[in-house]
Amino acid sequence: MKRLAVLTSGGDCSGMNATLRAVVRAGLASGAEVIGIQKGFHGLIDRHYDILDTRSVSNVLQRGGTFLQSARCKEMRTEAGLRLATENLKGLGAEGLIVIGGDGSLKGAYAIYQQGIPVIGIPASIDNDIPFTDMSLGVDTALNNIITAIDNLKDTASSHDRAFVVETMGRDCGYLAVVATIASGAEYSLIPEEPYDLDQICTDLRRRYREGRSNSIILVAEGAGSAQEIADQIKERIGFETRVMVLGHYQRGGSPSVFDRLLGARFGQAAVENLLKGNGGKMLGLRAREIVLTDLETVITSGSRPIDPMLPLLASQLAV
Ligand code: F6P
């Protein structure tokens, strides 16, 4: 393979740059030229790209976001957009494509593969909702961002006997909220996968304060409701002083954790290696520490990765 292309698509996440660096350097080491497509599939449709050399990826490993930039691309869902993207890719002489992104991006990757171009997908989304991988790129850094924020909140919450309702991202998936609850020692996580009883939560909150606790942290996954509404309801029911923090896009940025740098390095190198071996139409995943391949078609038709039911159980058992 003489030329391959790479793009980052959908919501950015930390570790994308580490992955791009690995793709470029592993590609060059194997004698392939690497084209970086800008702004996801938009760059394929509009022909915005750069030839990447080893210096193009110097000093990017430690940065969050993606130096190629990213976008969600509606045109890729149309036949005309898909045709143009594929023609342009062929016109660039790219014999393979690496797509780094979440579920929508992997659908785009599969669509291009169906046009006869070898494609490897790399799961990258803080939501950790992509099946056939234990972890997606960016999840670990996002969790560390959430934990840092909660640790800081606990200081101020304790100084005022307050409850904080903290909203995490994750779209329809409660993974970030539930894992952050366990790892930060927060009291509750409200997630879309499980029903919750706000009356019970209010009763528990009262009891906690009677027992002398000085703070309570309630995590709300964005798919389970709005932190502001939950806080208002708590105030209305028990007159409790609450404050709200919506973590929003803060979770997605920042220097990637070692886990995400290593995962990005392994994914990037494995993507190149698999394209060179002729393995198109696959997504890479991390399962029990090994990098594994799953058919893109299986990935995009299998729905979201479910949360391990032990996690919510553990979160509630540890928060007493
Ligand atoms: O999929 C990643 C994610 O950050 C979700 O958690 C969130 O719902 C969404 O993207 C936000 O999208 P945008 O960056 O377009 O506002």
Side-chain angles (χ1 to χ4, degrees):
M1 188 169 286
K2 295 262 179 309
R3 250 188 177 193
L4 55 92
V6 61
L7 60 84
T8 50
S9 165
D12 69 294
C13 66
S14 290
M16 282 181 159
N17 283 327
T19 314
L20 290 169
R21 175 177 178 267
V23 166
V24 171
R25 295 201 172 164
L28 293 174
S30 317
E33 200 170 38
V34 181
I35 308 171
I37 310 291
Q38 285 155 7
K39 298 195 179 173
F41 291 107
H42 277 303
L44 265 189
I45 291 171
D46 303 340
R47 293 176 61 88
H48 281 143
Y49 66 91
D50 278 322
I51 307 275
L52 302 175
D53 62 21
T54 194
R55 294 276 73 84
S56 322
V57 287
S58 292
N59 217 18
V60 300
L61 173 65
Q62 73 279 21
R63 304 225 162 104
T66 158
F67 76 89
L68 284 181
Q69 297 196 287
S70 192
R72 305 187 199 278
C73 180
K74 282 198 191 123
E75 289 101 303
M76 268 301 284
R77 292 191 216 137
T78 67
E79 222 169 274
L82 175 62
R83 198 173 339 107
L84 196 54
T86 312
E87 275 165 17
N88 287 341
L89 196 54
K90 287 181 181 160
L92 289 175
E95 295 159 82
L97 173 68
I98 297 168
V99 173
I100 307 168
D103 51 357
S105 310
L106 295 170
K107 284 184 184 132
Y110 181 63
I112 290 199
Y113 170 67
Q114 282 185 305
Q115 307 300 306
I117 295 182
V119 183
I120 295 286
I122 294 182
S125 164
I126 65 164
D127 303 344
N128 216 23
D129 58 349
I130 301 168
F132 302 101
T133 184
D134 296 339
M135 289 288 271
S136 290
L137 197 68
V139 175
D140 186 66
T141 305
L143 282 169
N144 281 298
N145 289 339
I146 298 170
I147 300 306
T148 302
I150 295 176
D151 288 349
N152 290 353
L153 280 184
K154 281 188 165 185
D155 293 341
T156 170
S158 310
S159 307
H160 292 271
D161 279 338
R162 278 175 178 157
F164 268 81
V165 184
V166 180
E167 188 175 307
T168 54
M169 276 188 167
R171 214 179 281 274
D172 300 319
C173 178
Y175 183 88
L176 288 177
V178 77
V179 173
T181 299
I182 297 167
S184 70
E187 278 64 43
Y188 307 96
S189 44
L190 313 188
I191 58 172
E193 291 85 350
E194 302 235 311
Y196 55 86
D197 179 351
L198 208 53
D199 286 329
Q200 185 58 50
I201 291 175
C202 288
T203 308
D204 286 352
L205 279 176
R206 275 213 204 87
R207 174 188 52 80
R208 285 177 55 78
Y209 282 86
R210 270 202 310 274
E211 289 171 1
R213 315 290 174 88
S214 58
N215 71 74
S216 291
I217 307 284
I218 300 151
L219 265 69
V220 182
E222 66 175 332
S226 122
Q228 186 62 59
E229 280 169 21
I230 305 279
D232 291 346
Q233 285 182 46
I234 293 174
K235 187 150 199 286
E236 199 182 292
R237 284 174 207 212
I238 53 174
F240 216 87
E241 195 175 9
T242 52
R243 293 288 186 272
V244 168
M245 185 157 94
V246 178
L247 290 173
H249 292 80
Y250 163 84
Q251 293 159 94
R252 286 214 317 232
S255 186
S257 63
V258 172
F259 182 92
D260 278 325
R261 294 180 194 205
L262 183 60
L263 188 62
R266 292 180 74 192
F267 274 162
Q269 187 273 342
V272 171
E273 189 181 280
N274 276 287
L275 274 184
L276 296 180
K277 273 193 213 157
N279 279 335
K282 310 278 183 196
M283 183 192 82
L284 299 174
L286 179 72
R287 305 208 85 178
R289 300 190 188 176
E290 298 294 324
I291 303 291
V292 296
L293 292 173
T294 307
D295 286 339
L296 273 170
E297 184 178 12
T298 309
V299 174
I300 64 167
T301 53
S302 294
S304 292
R305 177 182 182 278
I307 287 192
D308 176 351
M310 285 309 289
L311 291 174
L313 203 63
L314 183 60
S316 68
Q317 272 177 1
L318 299 186
V320 283

